[in-house]
Amino acid sequence: MFELRLMAPEDRVEMLGDALDALDALSVSVEDADAQTDAEQALFGEPGMPPPKEGWQRSRVIALFADEALANEAASVLALQDFFEGCEVLGVAPVPDQDWVRLTQSQFAPVEITPEFWIVPTWHEPPGAARQVIRLDPGLAFGTGTHPTTRMCLRWIAKQGGFGGQRVLDYGCGSGILAIGAAKFGAPDIDAVDIDEAAVSATRLNAEANGVRLNAGLPEAARGRYDTVLANILATPLKVLAPLLHSHVAPGGSLVLAGILERQADELKQAYAPYAALEVSDSEDGWILMTARC
């Protein structure tokens, strides 16, 4: 395979992508040409906020083609178009042969939650200091332990000293990592729910791989009250779900919320004020963990 590399200003990225699709590109990706420099731009998207831009001020557009002739033809055709003004062909080059499985695996190393609690992909051996291990490989569902929100939730679980006899709800379970973490620390009765059926399937498979028992299903599977309710989603849905999530917390139980940026703390406190007094319990890389006793 061969890749065609282009440089484009932000307002040309979408048109270039559409044109490359029409020219039989196998894939099109966009990178910040100024990444790792002082001019690097951060583009974010989150529900309830303006969508991220299509590209950066200086975007590197990379299109993959089945052979060199197709890549060169695409470059020639694009150079003749009016919308290509301000763009530049950087070149066509073969894609080196790679062991893609090994390359992907190399990007996922064991993740430390605490010195004794680790998330370890199946192709790695657990660190010697690990006393509690979640075995988890990257897959279709969100949650491999690499994101600060997941790590903070798992740190909170580890600090509780055990969940013996507790009923736990993981709302928006993704890969099931939080539910599995609660099970590893002794929770005997766990419901893990998600609106995505792929997440439900992933949670069941991951639980089986870790030798733990839990109930995974769609949101209606969450019934009654729980000693601990965990929800690692995003701020906007967490605000909408405030009455529902609180209704599932048993008196004296814990509500644990993540997926919240530091600047959103007051919004969450206000949304949950009629139900519980949220406090910031942890923070990492601009994200926070908020908890409350109900």
Side-chain angles (χ1 to χ4, degrees):
M1 291 186 289
F2 285 75
E3 61 181 25
L4 167 62
R5 289 177 167 261
L6 308 167
M7 185 74 76
E10 177 190 315
D11 62 355
R12 294 289 193 269
V13 169
E14 185 174 7
M15 286 181 287
L16 272 181
D18 291 343
L20 287 163
D21 283 339
L23 290 167
D24 296 326
L26 300 175
S27 68
V28 179
S29 60
V30 185
E31 302 173 351
D32 185 356
D34 296 313
Q36 310 301 319
T37 73
D38 292 341
E40 181 177 7
Q41 291 178 280
L43 299 183
F44 299 104
E46 183 180 344
M49 296 179 65
K53 298 176 181 179
E54 295 292 338
W56 291 266
Q57 289 180 0
R58 289 182 356 110
S59 294
R60 187 183 297 110
V61 180
I62 304 169
L64 191 65
F65 288 89
D67 58 50
E68 187 175 14
L70 285 172
N72 284 322
E73 182 182 359
S76 298
V77 170
L78 289 172
L80 297 173
Q81 308 307 310
D82 291 341
F83 63 75
F84 199 70
E85 184 179 356
C87 303
E88 178 186 355
V89 175
L90 299 177
V92 172
V95 178
D97 287 336
Q98 295 264 22
D99 183 339
W100 296 107
V101 172
R102 187 178 295 277
L103 179 63
T104 300
Q105 289 179 346
S106 71
Q107 297 171 356
F108 292 90
V111 176
E112 179 181 348
I113 304 304
T114 72
E116 295 186 343
F117 180 26
W118 290 73
I119 302 162
V120 184
T122 55
W123 52 83
H124 281 282
E125 288 298 317
R131 297 293 176 267
Q132 194 65 267
V133 172
I134 295 177
R135 285 290 196 176
L136 198 69
D137 296 340
L140 293 177
F142 172 82
T144 59
T146 58
H147 196 275
T149 60
T150 307
R151 289 199 298 270
M152 287 189 292
C153 287
L154 290 170
R155 274 203 298 267
W156 184 90
I157 289 171
K159 290 177 181 177
Q160 301 314 299
F163 287 78
Q166 285 201 26
R167 192 164 187 245
V168 175
L169 173 63
D170 180 2
Y171 198 98
C173 58
S175 66
I177 190 170
L178 303 186
I180 293 168
K184 291 279 186 177
F185 282 88
D189 186 359
I190 304 168
D191 288 333
V193 302
D194 203 291
I195 60 173
D196 186 349
E197 292 187 359
V200 173
S201 297
T203 294
R204 289 173 179 155
L205 291 172
N206 289 331
E208 182 179 351
N210 280 276
V212 301
R213 296 180 61 184
L214 52 80
N215 306 306
L218 297 175
E220 54 266 27
R223 296 176 182 173
R225 302 245 177 168
Y226 300 82
D227 301 289
T228 298
V229 173
L230 303 155
N232 180 16
I233 315 176
L234 283 172
T236 298
L238 284 175
K239 288 189 287 186
V240 173
L241 290 167
L244 174 66
L245 293 177
H246 177 262
S247 72
H248 282 304
V249 185
S254 296
L255 179 62
V256 182
L257 307 179
I260 307 162
L261 295 168
E262 288 178 344
R263 59 178 171 77
Q264 296 169 325
D266 289 341
E267 298 175 40
L268 267 294
K269 287 181 179 180
Q270 184 176 355
Y272 280 80
Y275 316 104
L278 284 178
E279 296 293 339
V280 176
S281 296
D282 200 353
S283 64
E284 184 178 340
D285 294 343
W287 297 89
I288 56 174
L289 182 77
M290 303 192 77
T291 62
R293 282 282 184 182
C294 299

